[in-house]
Amino acid sequence: MSVTELPSRPPRSTREGKALQKGQQTKAAIVDAALGLATQIGLEGLSIGALAEVTRMSKSGVFAHFGSREELQISVIREYHSRFEDEVFYPAMREERGLPRLRALFSLWMKRTSIEIDSGCIYISGAVEFDDRTGPVRDALASSVLTWHNAMKRSIVGAKAEGHLHPDADEEQMLFEIHGLILALHYEARFLKSPGALARANTGFENILRLYGAPLAPAASNARRSGKASKE
């Protein structure tokens, strides 16, 4: 083969792009393994050494992608939040605004929670680990939880605007009670192994909707009476 027949060397930008893509894939694989580990042993249990052992990489190789244990923990929180949005938030946003969307948010939240009864929840275990601390890891965790709470609150406000909830319903109180159901479910099902905990959580949600539900609108009430009269 002559020199002219030798394959041309890829441009520098192409080589760098491939290296960057491979680096991103490696980092994503490390974060995935770290998330699986964190659900079992908590964020505080994560370490560069433990992750290197799980991924069968060198400590220096893992460290090169994060730079510190703290950055590793924050990356895990971000990944958990991203998956939570993909499984709970975005599917629910396809439902009609108001009560249908609020029901979907809770139903999908419950579905994810039922899986995490076995695997563990970063939001809950992380709150126990970092409730009395300060720093970037706690800030990242709290920010993720508050982002989710704000999404739930917007859905409650939307249900009020649609007339599906009482106009005087306190969205903060309603959110507090709904979140309380999830926390109680984790405690009852994961720690106490109480049978029927999922059913009780669902019943609790229906009780909340009845408590804060709007009275029957006049138009709907008149239509119902009209339909009844026509049958008579």
Side-chain angles (χ1 to χ4, degrees), residues 20-209:
L20 179 62
Q21 184 179 24
K22 184 177 180 180
Q24 290 172 337
Q25 290 173 346
T26 301
K27 184 174 182 178
I30 296 172
V31 171
D32 182 67
L35 178 56
L37 195 60
T39 58
Q40 299 296 325
I41 63 176
L43 288 167
E44 272 297 88
L46 285 179
S47 68
I48 298 294
L51 197 53
E53 185 177 346
V54 169
T55 58
R56 296 182 180 179
M57 294 177 61
S58 66
K59 290 182 181 180
S60 60
V62 174
F63 186 84
H65 287 282
F66 300 97
S68 69
R69 176 170 174 264
E70 188 176 80
E71 184 56 39
L72 169 63
Q73 292 170 320
I74 292 173
S75 295
V76 168
I77 292 169
R78 289 171 178 164
E79 178 63 20
Y80 179 84
H81 182 74
S82 177
R83 295 186 187 189
F84 190 94
E85 287 186 324
D86 288 342
E87 294 177 21
V88 180
F89 177 74
Y90 291 117
M93 289 301 102
R94 293 195 286 266
E95 299 296 328
E96 292 183 13
R97 191 168 182 264
L99 202 54
R101 185 174 296 177
L102 181 59
R103 283 187 176 277
L105 283 170
F106 183 77
S107 176
L108 291 167
W109 195 3
M110 284 284 292
K111 181 179 179 180
R112 183 177 176 88
T113 300
S114 66
I115 295 172
E116 291 179 336
I117 287 171
D118 294 324
S119 64
C121 172
I122 294 294
Y123 286 163
I124 293 177
S125 62
V128 174
E129 292 175 308
F130 293 91
D131 62 347
D132 58 351
R133 302 187 188 188
T134 59
V137 177
R138 185 195 186 282
D139 292 345
L141 186 63
S143 176
S144 294
V145 174
L146 289 174
T147 297
W148 168 238
H149 279 196
N150 288 333
M152 284 291 295
K153 187 162 67 175
R154 287 196 303 270
S155 183
I156 294 170
V157 171
K160 284 175 64 175
E162 295 294 323
H164 299 159
L165 297 175
H166 197 281
D168 294 332
D170 185 339
E171 55 265 20
E172 290 284 357
Q173 181 63 31
M174 192 171 177
L175 172 61
F176 184 90
E177 293 177 22
I178 292 173
H179 188 212
L181 290 175
I182 298 296
L183 296 178
L185 174 60
H186 267 273
Y187 194 92
E188 290 284 333
R190 184 169 170 80
F191 180 57
L192 298 179
K193 311 295 183 184
S194 301
L198 280 167
R200 282 193 290 275
N202 280 313
T203 299
F205 181 67
E206 294 302 322
N207 290 340
I208 290 172
L209 293 185

